[in-house]
Structure formats: structure tokens, C-alpha cells
Amino acid sequence: MTGWLAAVALIGLAGTLRFGAFCVVGLPLLAYLLLYLAVGLPRSLHPIGRKRDYSYGIYIYAFPVQQVLAMLIGVQYGFVTYLAATTAGTLLLAALSWHLVERPAMLLKDMALPLPARWRRPGGGSPTTGPDVTAAKAAALRPDPTAPIPVTAPSAAVTMSAASVIEVPVGEVTGLPR
């Protein structure tokens, strides 16, 4: 992806918007430009989107905004006006979603809340690391790594509704061509 090819695609896209053939010629040029912007941007523009990530909001709100505007005004003012209005409406909703919902929720992702008292074990700890668990008890609670793993497979019945259990040793794959 080169810059001069992106410039040619931009000129071609502008030409299709002005003279027609947007659906046939302009959409592939627009796709190339979007890929160029996603992959081939200069390093000076890489920090775009690091502080504010509107992409999920754009993904969520683009279709509803397009549908509402298509229902209200359609393309009576032209496709370019429709495209500009849907882009502006989508970006507005995406920015509001980022600042009012997503960012505050992401700030809470590392917050550790204490468990309610009724959920805690007496004496603290988990079933395998609590203060009253000896090493032998902890080892007995852990699964044996060499034990066979039960695998559920359909039976040979015509209805395929019943299942049987087959034991397959760990690390061994059966039924595959070598």
C-alpha cells in the first residue's frame, strides 16, 4: 500500500462522487482508502485512537442511525448529504457512548470488590489454600494429571440422542489419520 496509490484512489473517489459510478468504481476505491488508512498511515498518526476509542460505538450505532435517517429523509437531498449526516450522527453517538458508558466501565475493570461475609469461608482462604487445609488434603482435592479424561461421544443409535462415555488417556489422540 503506497501513498501515491491512495492519492489516486482519493481522486478517483472524488470523481465518482461528482460524475457518477460511485457504486461500481467508488466503493472499491473507498475500501482501498480505508485499508490504507488502517494499515499504511505514517508513524506520526499512529497515536490516533489511543486515548479515545470510538470504534465500538461506531459499530453499534452506525446501522440504527442509517436506518432512521433513511426512513426520515431518505436520499431526497442526495447520497453525499445522507452519508455526511449518517457519519455525523454515528460519530456523535459513538463519542457520547465512549465518554458516558465505555470509559467509566473500563475504569472499573480492575477494581476488586470484597466478597460479602456470607460468601466467605470461615477462617478465610479457598478450599485448597485455606488455613485448615493440609498439603495432603490440598493434593487430594486437585485432579490427577495422569488420569484419563472422560469424553462424551454419540452412540450408534439411529436417533443419536443417547451418549456413552469413552475414556481417552491424556495426551493421546485417537481416530485421526497419521
Side-chain angles (χ1 to χ4, degrees):
M1 296 202 162
T2 59
W4 67 268
L5 196 54
V8 169
L10 183 64
I11 292 169
L13 178 64
T16 62
L17 289 173
R18 175 69 178 105
F19 300 111
F22 176 75
C23 290
V24 176
V25 179
L27 285 177
L29 294 174
L30 179 63
Y32 180 83
L33 281 173
L34 291 176
L35 286 173
Y36 173 76
L37 291 175
V39 176
L41 279 177
R43 291 231 180 257
S44 60
L45 298 177
H46 281 195
I48 292 175
R50 291 242 169 100
K51 302 270 186 199
R52 293 173 294 277
D53 185 8
Y54 298 152
S55 62
Y56 185 69
I58 291 170
Y59 169 71
I60 292 295
Y61 296 114
F63 183 72
V65 168
Q66 290 166 359
Q67 295 304 304
V68 167
L69 286 177
M71 188 174 61
L72 293 177
I73 64 169
V75 289
Q76 70 189 40
Y77 299 110
F79 181 73
V80 175
T81 305
Y82 170 77
L83 187 64
T86 57
T87 302
T90 300
L91 288 176
L92 175 69
L93 289 175
L96 288 172
S97 174
W98 168 254
H99 291 288
L100 299 177
V101 178
E102 296 171 44
R103 186 168 177 257
M106 289 182 70
L107 292 175
L108 298 175
K109 73 178 179 180
D110 293 326
M111 189 170 80
L113 297 174
L115 289 174
R118 67 175 186 254
W119 291 356
R120 287 189 225 136
R121 298 176 84 46
S126 72
T128 58
T129 61
D132 58 338
V133 176
T134 63
K137 279 186 180 178
L141 291 172
R142 292 191 188 103
D144 181 13
T146 61
I149 298 172
V151 178
T152 304
S155 70
V158 176
T159 60
M160 299 297 280
S161 61
S164 61
V165 175
I166 304 169
E167 289 192 1
V168 177
V170 174
E172 185 178 30
V173 178
T174 57
L176 298 177
R178 295 189 188 256

